[in-house]
Amino acid sequence: MSPEVPPAPSGFFSRLRDGLRKTRDGLRQKLEIVFGGAPLDEGTLERLEEALLASDLGPATTAAILEPARAAFRRHGITTGEAMRDLLAQRVGELLQVGGPPAPAPAAPPHVTLFLGVNGSGKTTTIAKLAKRYLGAGERVLLAAGDTFRAAATEQLQIWGHRIGAEVIAHRPGADPAAVIFDACKAASARGVQRLLIDTAGRLHTRKNLMEELKKIHRVIAREVPGAPHETLLVLDATTGLNAVAQAREFHHAVGVTGLVIAKLDGTAKGGAVVAIAQALQLPVRYVGVGESPEDLQPFDPREFAAALFS
Ligand SMILES: Nc1nc2c(ncn2[C@@H]2O[C@H](COP(=O)(O)OP(=O)(O)O)[C@@H](O)[C@H]2O)c(=O)[nH]1
Ligand SMILES: [Mg+2]
């Protein structure tokens, strides 16, 4: 079993570019107005700041992006819009390089990934897309239906499991999620499954209940599989833009998130929020989702993302 995700099919850059179209078009239009062919001046920098803020990059990240641009401009190192755009892309790529690489593969299987996120963020779909890739790479995969709060959620994972050919451990709706996950950990270990992907509820009666539940689940996993969960991925809906930051902090505080999945980038012009969220939380983005098909979820590459954003 390799610690890495199977390589992305070629052509993902164009998928990423397509998926980022709304954000990219918004940014490009504004940048064209900003640069507009006229020589760069202090006013250009101010308008540039407004353009970046409008893409949901947030004030702190916008300042961090503009810092080297401003310095280069002041020492006359930058004179054209094109050069400025390159500098911005490079800086965004740098800012996205936060956190470390994923943990190496465990000495003994299973590798366990816990998925968190509010309802509708894209957890179940992300699990299915990833499971399909692992299966395609010849790995044995087990899915755990830990979202027992909504009857439809368990069913949805089962439908996906059936479709892609992955076994799903599920209990009745309303069952204790910790019990489902306990069973899934046992089954994964007993069967020598390489990847265990765990779905969780995104809402319980209160947010406090949810966080307590997630802590409990985390403890069960850690107790049943040494070193697990190897990844705790928080799935965020890109269309919520910067609002995702507060949400992410709450999950991170409760269970310690190790990486982010940003889903639904194709549906928003607020794609700049990816940079702001990674910056604010100092958490690495592991995957981005740019559509509903399995090929639309890919490992995140900071430089590629920045290039796609400004291309
Ligand atoms: N356009 C688009 N839709 C997505 C993406 N990821 C998930 N979705 C859709 O978002 C909706 C909610 O996803 P789901 O996985 O059920 O969210 P969950 O409640 O967190 O499990 C579904 O209709 C998915 O098809 C994506 O990257 N792009
Ligand atoms: Mg779900």
Side-chain angles (χ1 to χ4, degrees), residues 117-126 129 147 150 156 160 199-200 235 262-267 288-292 296-297:
V118 300
N119 281 354
S121 59
K123 290 181 297 298
T124 306
T125 332
T126 298
K129 288 172 178 171
D147 185 356
R150 291 178 296 172
Q156 193 197 358
W160 269 115
D199 202 1
T200 59
V235 183
I262 316 283
K264 307 193 211 177
L265 265 174
D266 51 314
V288 287
V290 293
E292 300 197 65
D296 291 324
L297 183 85

Side-chain angles (χ1 to χ4, degrees), residues 230-249:
H230 305 93
E231 272 269 49
T232 300
L233 296 180
L234 176 64
V235 183
L236 298 170
D237 175 345
T239 62
T240 55
L242 279 173
N243 293 329
V245 173
Q247 206 183 84
R249 278 192 212 285

Side-chain angles (χ1 to χ4, degrees), residues 70-161:
R70 199 164 266 142
F73 170 73
R74 296 227 164 109
R75 36 159 229 273
H76 308 290
I78 291 260
T79 51
T80 67
E82 205 50 46
M84 182 63 97
R85 208 179 312 238
D86 288 348
L87 188 71
L88 295 177
Q90 192 194 333
R91 181 65 173 154
V92 165
E94 281 167 17
L95 290 174
L96 281 167
Q97 265 158 8
V98 294
H111 179 285
V112 183
T113 309
L114 177 63
F115 290 83
L116 315 172
V118 300
N119 281 354
S121 59
K123 290 181 297 298
T124 306
T125 332
T126 298
I127 289 173
K129 288 172 178 171
L130 272 177
K132 187 159 188 257
R133 297 193 46 177
Y134 295 139
L135 288 165
E139 296 191 323
R140 295 191 60 194
V141 177
L142 189 65
L143 311 181
D147 185 356
T148 59
F149 192 68
R150 291 178 296 172
T154 289
E155 202 182 319
Q156 193 197 358
L157 193 70
Q158 285 171 320
I159 292 169
W160 269 115

